[in-house]
Amino acid sequence: MSRLDAKVSPYLFVAPFFVLFGAIGLFPLLYTAYVSLFDWEVGADDPTFIGLENYRTLFDDGQFWNALFNTFSIFVLSSAPQIVIAVAIAALLNENLRARTGWRMGVLLPYVASLVALTIIFGNLFGPQYGLVNDVLTAVGIGPIDWQADTFGSHVAIASMVNWRWTGYNALIVLAAMQAIPREVHEAALVDGASPLRRFFSITLPMLKPTLIFVIVTSTIGGLQIFTEPKLFEPSGGSGGGTEHQYQTVVLYLYQSAFQGLDLGYASAIAWVLFLIVIAVAGINFLVTRRAVR
Amino acid sequence: MTNRRPSFLVYGLLGAFVLGSAFPFYWSYLVASRDNSVLTGDFTLIPGGNFFANASRVFDTIPFWKALGNSFIVSGTVTLSVVLLSTLAGFAFAKLRFRGRGVLFLFVVATLAVPTQLGIIPLYMAMAEFGWAGELEAVIVPNLVTAFGVFWMRQYLLDAIPDELVEAARMDGCSLWRTFWHVALPAARPAAAMLGVFTFMQSWNDFLWPLVVLNADNPTLQVALEKLQSGYYVDYSLVLAGTTLATVPVLIVFLVLGRQIVAGVMQGAVKG
């Protein structure tokens, strides 16, 4: 009995994860590739096999390329400033502050807020007509920007939601890495007469590199699948990502194709192409990380 | 580096950042406390007196309490299950010897990077087939255990339990399940608590899949909020009353557990 227990129980303990991942994670992904080979409408009885036709259509589909461009554009606008500000905030938090935990909590506040609620609030702040952001811009003389209709403007508005939510969170991750830097390194530099700024750029920043790359990799995987922000930025509840699809992202296009266009085959082709892009980008990131850490 | 207190400039910059972090919450309450006629006019940071009137309009427009209850049921069940099943698998990977352990664990780590969210189309077809579309099972079952949870618990239990303890329990004739229950689970408590908090927040905020599979009559809070906003004309004093109401529970959790959440984020950074 106890020998059987020792042999079998470990497998039973890890089984729930593998069963669930197989059924809910892996199988649907593979089946997505299968569905993408069909002309498959929601509710239709017999889907027709059409080979790679969906992919051929996809590569000629301007709306798909537009969505891909928007996704990358929003991603760049949201990751680059975010990391710079996160490092700066982490450096400030690394000072010998009074009420240390209180400051850290304050910085993390946006992270716990409901994403849907916040996106709606930002939609109001960036309202083209009566939004607070435009009121302020008008007051300082820059003039109002149409955050909905303007492609670049809408990307900035959506990126600012991402930045607002994640900068503090990433600042804490960077802070943890800063505190792991041995004190002696800084003290040695201090003895050599290095200025604080010099110490930051010559010691702190290089030693943060692995952490920064970790932050970039995780935000890439999430960023390429951005959905909630562009979905809710459109006030009327549509999924087009604006009247001219100016801020429609790939996952939003997937959602629109599958659940409004009811074309499951085509939406599956979008999902599968995005899947390959995410894996490729994550793989490149991984290779770069390994080299950088060495 | 020195033990000197920092200058006012440091506090000023941090203070500005935290104010900016808190501002959208306040703005939401501000708009929710007024009525739409004021919204278009002069700008002020003083709340009006209409919050409760707007809140009761929220209750009339969407099934708010039902959505809140649903969100608690979904996130609560998912959290309990993720913590239990992840600790179980993490314990096996950290402390038990079995053939294929290394390969299987490598597989778990590899799945961390797999965007399973992109499998929603077959998942939706399967749920429709099972008759789960529109039911809470559809948003609970797919999330019962996560690769991150297994990874996180394994890393923690590796150092938290001495091998001798597991060995001693075995010598005393304890089954592995009892060893898990009486030795591993108590030892896992700190890491399990953090995993619980993060899982709860993640589940609470989940949006794409619930939006696909649930309907307006039986929504989670996030889906209900989306319905509130998706009319042709957006009545912001109504919609932002909804977001304010939805934010209150999360803010309470944050005030109570904020210290632990901060510690969790920072530890995850070092371990991950």
Side-chain angles (χ1 to χ4, degrees):
Chain A
M1 183 60 205
S2 80
R3 277 197 47 202
L4 190 70
D5 180 41
K7 261 199 148 52
V8 176
S9 292
Y11 294 106
L12 292 179
F13 290 2
V14 300
F17 170 76
F18 288 95
V19 171
L20 196 77
F21 180 77
I24 301 292
L26 203 56
F27 173 72
L29 271 179
L30 296 176
Y31 201 71
T32 301
Y34 175 75
V35 175
S36 74
L37 302 176
F38 288 82
D39 182 7
W40 198 318
E41 301 271 313
V42 170
D45 289 333
D46 49 328
T48 344
F49 181 81
I50 51 169
L52 295 175
E53 196 52 45
N54 280 327
Y55 292 93
R56 238 170 265 138
T57 317
L58 189 64
F59 290 130
D60 286 335
D61 181 355
Q63 200 180 343
F64 172 71
W65 293 107
N66 168 61
L68 201 59
F69 166 77
N70 291 343
T71 305
F72 275 98
S73 165
I74 291 169
F75 171 66
V76 170
L77 287 172
S78 59
S79 55
Q82 189 183 137
I83 287 170
V84 175
I85 299 172
V87 171
I89 296 294
L92 294 177
L93 287 171
N94 203 21
E95 297 274 335
N96 185 27
L97 297 171
R98 274 175 215 281
R100 229 175 33 181
T101 311
W103 287 109
R104 290 178 187 175
M105 276 175 67
V107 163
L108 197 61
L109 189 61
Y111 168 70
V112 300
S114 143
L115 185 54
V116 170
L118 283 165
T119 307
I120 295 173
I121 297 170
F122 269 74
N124 172 270
L125 288 170
F126 280 99
Q129 274 175 315
Y130 305 116
L132 180 64
V133 176
N134 269 348
D135 285 352
V136 172
L137 288 183
T138 310
V140 296
I142 298 174
I145 294 170
D146 194 333
W147 301 105
Q148 284 284 339
D150 184 57
T151 302
F152 184 69
S154 66
H155 293 187
V156 169
I158 291 171
S160 71
M161 302 175 199
V162 182
N163 286 330
W164 185 83
R165 186 172 172 79
W166 291 104
T167 303
Y169 175 87
N170 284 326
L172 286 189
I173 289 185
V174 174
L175 173 65
M178 274 182 185
Q179 294 185 336
I181 297 173
R183 230 186 138 83
E184 295 78 40
V185 184
H186 276 288
E187 275 161 3
L190 208 57
V191 171
D192 289 348
S195 70
L197 217 57
R198 180 72 204 274
R199 272 183 291 146
F200 179 78
F201 282 105
S202 305
I203 300 172
T204 311
L205 215 48
M207 293 190 88
L208 288 180
K209 211 162 154 188
T211 307
L212 291 181
I213 290 169
F214 167 79
V215 168
I216 293 169
V217 172
T218 47
S219 64
T220 310
I221 296 175
L224 293 181
Q225 298 180 67
I226 189 168
F227 170 77
T228 306
E229 292 91 340
K231 170 81 176 86
L232 292 167
F233 193 53
E234 187 158 5
S236 59
S239 305
T243 43
E244 309 278 327
H245 311 302
Q246 61 272 27
Y247 52 87
Q248 185 173 51
T249 58
V250 179
V251 177
L252 190 53
Y253 187 35
L254 186 169
Y255 177 86
Q256 188 188 30
S257 304
F259 303 109
Q260 286 177 355
L262 305 182
D263 192 344
L264 296 178
Y266 195 61
S268 293
I270 299 175
W272 193 245
V273 169
L274 182 60
F275 172 76
L276 293 180
I277 293 172
V278 172
I279 294 291
V281 173
I284 293 167
N285 270 327
F286 178 72
L287 292 178
V288 173
T289 315
R290 271 213 323 201
R291 186 166 302 167
V293 172
R294 260 182 220 156
Chain B
M1 273 309 106
T2 48
N3 291 321
R4 225 153 32 93
R5 291 285 178 194
S7 67
F8 282 112
L9 182 66
V10 172
Y11 287 110
L13 287 171
L14 274 177
F17 187 81
V18 172
L19 270 184
S21 297
F23 179 74
F25 295 103
Y26 184 67
W27 179 253
S28 172
Y29 173 68
L30 202 63
V31 175
S33 68
R34 312 174 78 187
D35 61 54
N36 262 353
S37 60
V38 196
L39 193 67
T40 55
D42 47 346
F43 169 76
T44 143
L45 283 175
I46 300 152
N50 282 326
F51 180 72
F52 289 102
N54 287 326
S56 76
R57 284 200 298 143
V58 171
F59 302 142
D60 292 339
T61 315
I62 55 169
F64 182 84
W65 298 109
K66 177 159 196 190
L68 188 69
N70 279 347
S71 276
F72 269 110
I73 293 170
V74 170
S75 300
T77 316
V78 165
T79 301
L80 265 180
S81 165
V82 165
V83 168
L84 193 71
L85 294 178
S86 300
T87 310
L88 191 61
F91 168 62
F93 278 126
K95 291 292 152 183
L96 304 180
R97 247 168 260 192
F98 54 98
R99 200 185 276 263
R101 182 175 78 166
V103 179
L104 288 176
F105 185 66
L106 208 64
F107 184 80
V108 173
V109 175
T111 64
L112 279 170
V114 177
T116 49
Q117 177 177 253
L118 296 178
I120 52 168
I121 291 160
L123 207 54
Y124 172 75
M125 292 154 82
M127 292 301 167
E129 194 80 8
F130 293 165
W132 278 1
E135 304 294 328
L136 294 185
E137 286 92 323
V139 285
I140 292 175
V141 172
N143 296 309
L144 287 177
V145 56
T146 60
F148 174 77
V150 175
F151 176 74
W152 168 267
M153 293 314 301
R154 185 254 186 191
Q155 300 306 87
Y156 182 80
L157 288 175
L158 222 43
D159 302 325
I161 310 174
D163 287 330
E164 297 78 38
L165 202 61
V166 180
E167 207 46 43
R170 236 170 65 90
M171 290 300 176
D172 288 348
C174 243
S175 72
L176 286 181
W177 172 257
R178 284 194 51 187
T179 312
F180 165 72
W181 196 258
H182 293 291
V183 177
L185 212 49
R189 232 181 292 168
M194 275 177 196
L195 179 62
V197 173
F198 284 104
T199 308
F200 192 92
M201 291 197 305
Q202 204 174 7
S203 173
W204 187 266
N205 275 325
D206 204 6
F207 180 60
L208 172 56
W209 177 238
L211 180 69
V212 166
V213 82
L214 296 180
N215 54 48
D217 303 325
N218 192 29
T220 58
L221 198 52
Q222 315 303 331
V223 175
L225 283 181
E226 195 266 346
K227 298 288 177 250
L228 198 59
Q229 185 240 19
S230 64
Y232 181 70
Y233 164 75
V234 182
D235 175 355
Y236 269 114
S237 59
L238 168 72
V239 176
L240 294 195
T243 59
T244 304
L245 287 169
T247 304
V248 170
V250 202
L251 278 185
I252 293 173
V253 170
F254 187 66
L255 287 179
V256 176
L257 294 175
R259 188 179 283 267
Q260 282 83 345
I261 298 173
V262 166
V265 171
M266 292 182 65
Q267 271 181 27
V270 176
K271 289 209 164 186

mmCIF file of all heavy atoms in Angstrom, chain B residues 56-82:
data_model
loop_
_atom_site.group_PDB
_atom_site.id
_atom_site.type_symbol
_atom_site.label_atom_id
_atom_site.label_comp_id
_atom_site.label_asym_id
_atom_site.label_seq_id
_atom_site.Cartn_x
_atom_site.Cartn_y
_atom_site.Cartn_z
ATOM 1 N N SER B 56 -28.281 54.900 -7.153
ATOM 2 C CA SER B 56 -29.517 54.120 -7.235
ATOM 3 C C SER B 56 -29.966 53.963 -8.683
ATOM 4 O O SER B 56 -30.602 52.971 -9.039
ATOM 5 C CB SER B 56 -30.612 54.746 -6.367
ATOM 6 O OG SER B 56 -31.135 55.876 -7.004
ATOM 7 N N ARG B 57 -29.585 54.919 -9.537
ATOM 8 C CA ARG B 57 -29.846 54.722 -10.971
ATOM 9 C C ARG B 57 -29.018 53.558 -11.518
ATOM 10 O O ARG B 57 -29.455 52.834 -12.408
ATOM 11 C CB ARG B 57 -29.529 55.997 -11.752
ATOM 12 C CG ARG B 57 -30.598 57.072 -11.597
ATOM 13 C CD ARG B 57 -30.526 58.078 -12.728
ATOM 14 N NE ARG B 57 -29.245 58.788 -12.739
ATOM 15 C CZ ARG B 57 -28.603 59.136 -13.856
ATOM 16 N NH1 ARG B 57 -29.113 58.816 -15.038
ATOM 17 N NH2 ARG B 57 -27.468 59.792 -13.787
ATOM 18 N N VAL B 58 -27.799 53.390 -10.975
ATOM 19 C CA VAL B 58 -26.967 52.244 -11.379
ATOM 20 C C VAL B 58 -27.686 50.944 -11.050
ATOM 21 O O VAL B 58 -27.779 50.034 -11.881
ATOM 22 C CB VAL B 58 -25.590 52.277 -10.674
ATOM 23 C CG1 VAL B 58 -24.826 50.980 -10.927
ATOM 24 C CG2 VAL B 58 -24.780 53.459 -11.150
ATOM 25 N N PHE B 59 -28.239 50.879 -9.821
ATOM 26 C CA PHE B 59 -28.932 49.653 -9.407
ATOM 27 C C PHE B 59 -30.144 49.373 -10.289
ATOM 28 O O PHE B 59 -30.537 48.221 -10.476
ATOM 29 C CB PHE B 59 -29.369 49.750 -7.939
ATOM 30 C CG PHE B 59 -28.223 49.995 -7.004
ATOM 31 C CD1 PHE B 59 -28.366 50.831 -5.902
ATOM 32 C CD2 PHE B 59 -26.986 49.405 -7.235
ATOM 33 C CE1 PHE B 59 -27.291 51.070 -5.052
ATOM 34 C CE2 PHE B 59 -25.906 49.632 -6.390
ATOM 35 C CZ PHE B 59 -26.068 50.478 -5.298
ATOM 36 N N ASP B 60 -30.766 50.455 -10.826
ATOM 37 C CA ASP B 60 -31.919 50.259 -11.711
ATOM 38 C C ASP B 60 -31.500 49.800 -13.097
ATOM 39 O O ASP B 60 -32.270 49.146 -13.797
ATOM 40 C CB ASP B 60 -32.704 51.575 -11.853
ATOM 41 C CG ASP B 60 -33.371 51.962 -10.548
ATOM 42 O OD1 ASP B 60 -33.555 51.054 -9.709
ATOM 43 O OD2 ASP B 60 -33.669 53.155 -10.364
ATOM 44 N N THR B 61 -30.291 50.187 -13.518
ATOM 45 C CA THR B 61 -29.883 49.944 -14.903
ATOM 46 C C THR B 61 -29.244 48.572 -15.101
ATOM 47 O O THR B 61 -29.480 47.904 -16.087
ATOM 48 C CB THR B 61 -28.893 51.039 -15.372
ATOM 49 O OG1 THR B 61 -29.394 52.302 -14.951
ATOM 50 C CG2 THR B 61 -28.734 51.021 -16.880
ATOM 51 N N ILE B 62 -28.372 48.180 -14.158
ATOM 52 C CA ILE B 62 -27.725 46.867 -14.292
ATOM 53 C C ILE B 62 -27.982 46.061 -13.015
ATOM 54 O O ILE B 62 -28.223 46.634 -11.960
ATOM 55 C CB ILE B 62 -26.198 47.005 -14.507
ATOM 56 C CG1 ILE B 62 -25.560 47.842 -13.395
ATOM 57 C CG2 ILE B 62 -25.875 47.562 -15.877
ATOM 58 C CD1 ILE B 62 -24.060 47.822 -13.381
ATOM 59 N N PRO B 63 -27.925 44.729 -13.105
ATOM 60 C CA PRO B 63 -28.085 43.898 -11.898
ATOM 61 C C PRO B 63 -26.822 43.961 -11.046
ATOM 62 O O PRO B 63 -26.061 42.998 -10.958
ATOM 63 C CB PRO B 63 -28.330 42.496 -12.461
ATOM 64 C CG PRO B 63 -27.694 42.500 -13.804
ATOM 65 C CD PRO B 63 -27.741 43.911 -14.316
ATOM 66 N N PHE B 64 -26.592 45.130 -10.408
ATOM 67 C CA PHE B 64 -25.322 45.381 -9.737
ATOM 68 C C PHE B 64 -25.009 44.371 -8.637
ATOM 69 O O PHE B 64 -23.930 43.798 -8.580
ATOM 70 C CB PHE B 64 -25.309 46.801 -9.153
ATOM 71 C CG PHE B 64 -24.015 47.156 -8.473
ATOM 72 C CD1 PHE B 64 -22.948 47.636 -9.208
ATOM 73 C CD2 PHE B 64 -23.853 46.974 -7.104
ATOM 74 C CE1 PHE B 64 -21.743 47.946 -8.596
ATOM 75 C CE2 PHE B 64 -22.647 47.282 -6.484
ATOM 76 C CZ PHE B 64 -21.609 47.766 -7.234
ATOM 77 N N TRP B 65 -26.003 44.118 -7.766
ATOM 78 C CA TRP B 65 -25.735 43.239 -6.612
ATOM 79 C C TRP B 65 -25.493 41.816 -7.067
ATOM 80 O O TRP B 65 -24.666 41.101 -6.510
ATOM 81 C CB TRP B 65 -26.871 43.317 -5.605
ATOM 82 C CG TRP B 65 -27.008 44.700 -5.055
ATOM 83 C CD1 TRP B 65 -28.010 45.580 -5.316
ATOM 84 C CD2 TRP B 65 -26.071 45.380 -4.197
ATOM 85 N NE1 TRP B 65 -27.757 46.766 -4.665
ATOM 86 C CE2 TRP B 65 -26.579 46.675 -3.976
ATOM 87 C CE3 TRP B 65 -24.861 45.020 -3.607
ATOM 88 C CZ2 TRP B 65 -25.923 47.607 -3.191
ATOM 89 C CZ3 TRP B 65 -24.207 45.942 -2.812
ATOM 90 C CH2 TRP B 65 -24.733 47.231 -2.614
ATOM 91 N N LYS B 66 -26.255 41.413 -8.092
ATOM 92 C CA LYS B 66 -26.049 40.071 -8.620
ATOM 93 C C LYS B 66 -24.647 39.951 -9.218
ATOM 94 O O LYS B 66 -23.944 38.960 -8.998
ATOM 95 C CB LYS B 66 -27.094 39.776 -9.707
ATOM 96 C CG LYS B 66 -26.892 38.432 -10.328
ATOM 97 C CD LYS B 66 -28.132 37.917 -11.003
ATOM 98 C CE LYS B 66 -27.932 36.438 -11.235
ATOM 99 N NZ LYS B 66 -28.942 35.850 -12.072
ATOM 100 N N ALA B 67 -24.235 40.993 -9.952
ATOM 101 C CA ALA B 67 -22.901 40.980 -10.557
ATOM 102 C C ALA B 67 -21.824 40.944 -9.474
ATOM 103 O O ALA B 67 -20.835 40.215 -9.588
ATOM 104 C CB ALA B 67 -22.728 42.208 -11.444
ATOM 105 N N LEU B 68 -22.045 41.729 -8.416
ATOM 106 C CA LEU B 68 -21.081 41.751 -7.312
ATOM 107 C C LEU B 68 -20.990 40.366 -6.672
ATOM 108 O O LEU B 68 -19.894 39.840 -6.426
ATOM 109 C CB LEU B 68 -21.515 42.786 -6.273
ATOM 110 C CG LEU B 68 -20.526 43.074 -5.140
ATOM 111 C CD1 LEU B 68 -19.301 43.801 -5.659
ATOM 112 C CD2 LEU B 68 -21.190 43.911 -4.040
ATOM 113 N N GLY B 69 -22.155 39.762 -6.417
ATOM 114 C CA GLY B 69 -22.179 38.413 -5.840
ATOM 115 C C GLY B 69 -21.494 37.413 -6.750
ATOM 116 O O GLY B 69 -20.678 36.600 -6.302
ATOM 117 N N ASN B 70 -21.803 37.489 -8.057
ATOM 118 C CA ASN B 70 -21.166 36.587 -9.019
ATOM 119 C C ASN B 70 -19.656 36.737 -8.993
ATOM 120 O O ASN B 70 -18.932 35.745 -9.012
ATOM 121 C CB ASN B 70 -21.671 36.884 -10.428
ATOM 122 C CG ASN B 70 -23.027 36.236 -10.702
ATOM 123 O OD1 ASN B 70 -23.468 35.382 -9.936
ATOM 124 N ND2 ASN B 70 -23.668 36.653 -11.776
ATOM 125 N N SER B 71 -19.196 37.987 -8.958
ATOM 126 C CA SER B 71 -17.749 38.206 -8.949
ATOM 127 C C SER B 71 -17.123 37.585 -7.708
ATOM 128 O O SER B 71 -16.050 36.998 -7.774
ATOM 129 C CB SER B 71 -17.434 39.706 -8.994
ATOM 130 O OG SER B 71 -17.468 40.156 -10.327
ATOM 131 N N PHE B 72 -17.806 37.708 -6.557
ATOM 132 C CA PHE B 72 -17.284 37.103 -5.336
ATOM 133 C C PHE B 72 -17.262 35.581 -5.438
ATOM 134 O O PHE B 72 -16.299 34.934 -5.034
ATOM 135 C CB PHE B 72 -18.095 37.544 -4.116
ATOM 136 C CG PHE B 72 -17.539 38.770 -3.465
ATOM 137 C CD1 PHE B 72 -18.211 39.978 -3.536
ATOM 138 C CD2 PHE B 72 -16.318 38.725 -2.803
ATOM 139 C CE1 PHE B 72 -17.695 41.121 -2.954
ATOM 140 C CE2 PHE B 72 -15.790 39.865 -2.213
ATOM 141 C CZ PHE B 72 -16.485 41.066 -2.292
ATOM 142 N N ILE B 73 -18.338 35.005 -5.989
ATOM 143 C CA ILE B 73 -18.390 33.543 -6.126
ATOM 144 C C ILE B 73 -17.269 33.063 -7.042
ATOM 145 O O ILE B 73 -16.511 32.148 -6.708
ATOM 146 C CB ILE B 73 -19.756 33.101 -6.700
ATOM 147 C CG1 ILE B 73 -20.867 33.389 -5.691
ATOM 148 C CG2 ILE B 73 -19.735 31.615 -7.061
ATOM 149 C CD1 ILE B 73 -22.261 33.211 -6.258
ATOM 150 N N VAL B 74 -17.149 33.711 -8.203
ATOM 151 C CA VAL B 74 -16.148 33.284 -9.185
ATOM 152 C C VAL B 74 -14.735 33.439 -8.619
ATOM 153 O O VAL B 74 -13.953 32.480 -8.577
ATOM 154 C CB VAL B 74 -16.294 34.089 -10.498
ATOM 155 C CG1 VAL B 74 -15.123 33.821 -11.426
ATOM 156 C CG2 VAL B 74 -17.605 33.747 -11.180
ATOM 157 N N SER B 75 -14.411 34.643 -8.136
ATOM 158 C CA SER B 75 -13.046 34.888 -7.669
ATOM 159 C C SER B 75 -12.734 34.057 -6.427
ATOM 160 O O SER B 75 -11.616 33.576 -6.267
ATOM 161 C CB SER B 75 -12.845 36.368 -7.355
ATOM 162 O OG SER B 75 -13.074 37.123 -8.512
ATOM 163 N N GLY B 76 -13.720 33.885 -5.539
ATOM 164 C CA GLY B 76 -13.501 33.098 -4.336
ATOM 165 C C GLY B 76 -13.213 31.638 -4.661
ATOM 166 O O GLY B 76 -12.244 31.055 -4.165
ATOM 167 N N THR B 77 -14.037 31.038 -5.523
ATOM 168 C CA THR B 77 -13.842 29.638 -5.888
ATOM 169 C C THR B 77 -12.511 29.449 -6.602
ATOM 170 O O THR B 77 -11.743 28.533 -6.292
ATOM 171 C CB THR B 77 -14.971 29.167 -6.840
ATOM 172 O OG1 THR B 77 -16.208 29.653 -6.339
ATOM 173 C CG2 THR B 77 -15.011 27.660 -6.934
ATOM 174 N N VAL B 78 -12.247 30.321 -7.560
ATOM 175 C CA VAL B 78 -10.994 30.217 -8.318
ATOM 176 C C VAL B 78 -9.796 30.326 -7.378
ATOM 177 O O VAL B 78 -8.849 29.551 -7.462
ATOM 178 C CB VAL B 78 -10.949 31.308 -9.421
ATOM 179 C CG1 VAL B 78 -9.548 31.465 -9.974
ATOM 180 C CG2 VAL B 78 -11.926 30.961 -10.528
ATOM 181 N N THR B 79 -9.850 31.277 -6.440
ATOM 182 C CA THR B 79 -8.727 31.479 -5.531
ATOM 183 C C THR B 79 -8.480 30.248 -4.665
ATOM 184 O O THR B 79 -7.344 29.767 -4.557
ATOM 185 C CB THR B 79 -8.996 32.704 -4.633
ATOM 186 O OG1 THR B 79 -9.186 33.837 -5.467
ATOM 187 C CG2 THR B 79 -7.849 32.946 -3.685
ATOM 188 N N LEU B 80 -9.541 29.732 -4.052
ATOM 189 C CA LEU B 80 -9.390 28.538 -3.210
ATOM 190 C C LEU B 80 -8.774 27.393 -3.992
ATOM 191 O O LEU B 80 -7.829 26.739 -3.549
ATOM 192 C CB LEU B 80 -10.767 28.093 -2.698
ATOM 193 C CG LEU B 80 -11.170 28.595 -1.326
ATOM 194 C CD1 LEU B 80 -12.540 28.061 -0.971
ATOM 195 C CD2 LEU B 80 -10.139 28.143 -0.290
ATOM 196 N N SER B 81 -9.315 27.169 -5.179
ATOM 197 C CA SER B 81 -8.860 26.044 -5.984
ATOM 198 C C SER B 81 -7.416 26.234 -6.449
ATOM 199 O O SER B 81 -6.606 25.309 -6.367
ATOM 200 C CB SER B 81 -9.794 25.874 -7.177
ATOM 201 O OG SER B 81 -9.199 25.052 -8.125
ATOM 202 N N VAL B 82 -7.092 27.430 -6.919
ATOM 203 C CA VAL B 82 -5.724 27.671 -7.400
ATOM 204 C C VAL B 82 -4.726 27.461 -6.269
ATOM 205 O O VAL B 82 -3.699 26.802 -6.439
ATOM 206 C CB VAL B 82 -5.588 29.103 -7.985
ATOM 207 C CG1 VAL B 82 -4.126 29.492 -8.130
ATOM 208 C CG2 VAL B 82 -6.283 29.194 -9.325
#
